[in-house]
Amino acid sequence: MTQSPTEGTDGRRRGRLTVYLGAAPGVGKTYAMLDEAHRRLARGTDVVVGLVETHGRAGTAAEVEGLEVVPRRMLEHRGVTLGELDVAAVVTRAPQVVLVDELAHTNVPGAGHPKRWQDVHDLLDAGIDVITTVNVQHLESLNDDVAAITGVRQRETVPDQVVRDADQIQLVDLPPQALRRRLAHGNVYRAEQIDASLSSYFRVGNLTALRELALLWLADRVDAALATYRQDHRIEQPWPARERIVVAVTGGEEAVTLIRRAARIAQRGAGSELLAVHVLATDGLPSAPPAAIAEQRRLVESLGGTFHTVVGEDVASAVVDFARGENATLIVVGVSTRSRWREVFIDSTGTQIARVAGAIDVHLVTHERARAGRVRGRRPSALSPVRRTVGWVLAVAGPVLLVALLAPLRGRLLLSTDLMAFLALAVAVALVGGLWPAVVSAVLGFVLLNWFFIEPRGRLTIDQPENALALVVFVLVAAGVASVVDLAARRTGEAFRARAEASALAAVSRSVLAGDDTADALVARLRETFTLEAVALLEERDGRWSTLASAGTDPPEAPAGAGTVLTVDEHRVLALAGRALPASDRRVLDAFASQVGILLEHERLRAQAEQARVLEQADATRTALLAAVSHDLRTPLATIRASVDGLTNVDLELDEADRATLVETLGDATARLERLIDNLLDLSRLQTGSVRPVLRPTSLDEIVPLAVDGYAPGAVTLDVRESLPLVLTDPGLLERVVANLVQNAVRHSPAGEPVTVTAAALSDRIVLRVVDAGPGVPDDLKDHLFEPFQRLGDTSGTGLGLGLAVASGLASAVGAEVVAEDTPGGGLTMLVTVPRAGRTP
């Protein structure tokens, strides 16, 4: 359900919001808000102060006197008691108007809403009018601009739409010099802050820029309000409140001149806007080369304007309708490129625009192509050579054959019947051979009808005027029908071509955006689409050309050796070798070049993203390694040091039992330190790619027993049969994999619960299982099991969290795979899948 802007969430009248907007602190927003409150109070309005920040300013504090103040809601945060707006108290008090200072303020945790502007919305929903203040630097959209100007990024911001939706916005303005004087007199900040503020944030340049931002932002809001008012009151006549220059571009060479001239006109007035519009015909067929349109779009945007494309049946009407919709004040259009004799019969687009523009001014710009006439080449036929040949044969032989058929029936058929027969022949010729064969057929039919069927026969004279009129109408109708049929055939061919082009480009675009295509695949598709001999994507660096991708036989190695060259970007081109391509294919070729550019950019971004991921992973590894070294490695070192000190201290009298305990502790700590260092070295080798496995057929009963050796009796149960097939692996690396998995399982198994190691043969692999009855791992954490330095709740402090990461990495190196599964009844099962000997790993 859509809520009315004047209606609250419960259907009541929604309060009105008034915002006092300032360019910088100290311009007098709060003072102006309080002054407005006193004026309303004098008129009998129920006004209260919800929250006003005086910042120790005596003048502001004096203005609060005489107004009812709603007590603040006191909240404690980090040992400090702070006061916030008490929304509930204000709603209970239910005044007509409430003052709420500093709209962008961030509330203390526990206040209800994170932001004060959300509190204001609650008050508005309760039907209470709110007057508030905000500085332009706190508007979300201007945050980056303000930071660039002042060097200070504002942490407290308010969404622009909150302020834009206000019923009234009052700009509180003060010239920079006046604000600096106010600051110097101590009316803004305390004395100890004045010098620093004047030399940093409150510099004249900063204040001038902030003032301009406030004025421009407010002007945009006023402009939007004006557009809404005109729409609500159905005012179609342009109101020249701001200069908006619309330039009509066709994609031709003259459009560059028009755009630059329109930009110069727009620059004469502050706040003027430049809008370029290109009209597409309603048949959807391209009317200008896409590359030219794209270049003109870039030119418009570089000049600070916007480019728009609209569809219209009539160019002049479409341009004027667009201008009216944008409340434009001037339309810039070029002098027609048509020759003068053509304009005698058809008005130029500029003339048509001026005729229907109404109150919008039209500026006609001359250019080099003006009155030059369009350079027209020979229009290619949409028909095949065979059809054109058959058409000409029918155009010449058809009327003769038709005379031979109708001659025996002379006197029994009416002239109208003869005319319809020849007209049908002309249409048939148009369908087969096109316009000109049909015209020739109609003219030849005119002569033959006159000679053989109209009195006096055998002469090219006509006795009866109605027969002469019938022949003339016949020729005109035949030519008209032939023209329509020929045009329909051409349009059909163009539509099929456009659809094929669109389909090809859509397929390329989808594959590029999805990341499915490579440069080689795209180049190969270009060669296949246009049946070329070869295509090469070339890159120029330091004056030398290198091939990035190629397809076909003998691809060009430099642009000079290609028949057609397409520019992809500043350093790359597409070089095409083979048949000469018609100009009509150029727009599709340009689109292919654009897609190649997009593909290369995507590949560059993906490479950067991968590099960033690797660097991020390496950084995380370094951070975790430092943390591990600082803790886990120090623990066994401290134990070793204490044991050695105890054994070598001459002041201590140790018996044999104490000495044996210290020696055992020293051995355990040394073994633990050795395991940690081995894991760190293995992880380093895996990350640098220096692991070089030597794969050979091996029996598991030669590997697994060595991996589980050294555990107390009953800690590990081994079930690996000697009859199992051989596996293809590196015995030493696979032993490390199993050892790490078993060590991890033993550490997490409850006392008295042995770890079970089993193996089973499948068709192409051997599956080794390491089963424990420990606490297990939740499903959502299984994906993180094999990441370095992940302990997943293990607080034993006996490892770095590298064992499983090293095991997974070493397993991948030898062509095996490690997967974690739940143990039935509780615990974790590690499955190691190893390829059988004789199989592809």
Side-chain angles (χ1 to χ4, degrees), residues 728-742:
L728 183 65
T729 188
D730 184 309
L733 295 181
L734 184 60
E735 178 188 340
R736 289 296 311 278
V737 172
V738 177
N740 280 10
L741 296 179
V742 172

Side-chain angles (χ1 to χ4, degrees), residues 515-564:
D516 298 334
D517 262 353
T518 62
D520 287 305
L522 205 57
V523 167
R525 183 176 296 186
L526 175 61
R527 172 182 172 271
E528 178 184 351
T529 301
F530 293 96
T531 61
L532 299 167
E533 292 181 3
V535 178
L537 174 60
L538 306 176
E539 183 178 34
E540 187 267 333
R541 294 292 180 188
D542 301 325
R544 302 181 62 182
W545 291 95
S546 59
T547 302
L548 300 180
S550 62
T553 58
D554 195 19
E557 298 181 356
T564 304

Side-chain angles (χ1 to χ4, degrees), residues 241-255:
R242 176 193 289 193
E243 286 289 341
R244 285 187 176 85
I245 315 301
V246 171
V247 54
V249 298
T250 62
E253 298 176 1
E254 70 279 1

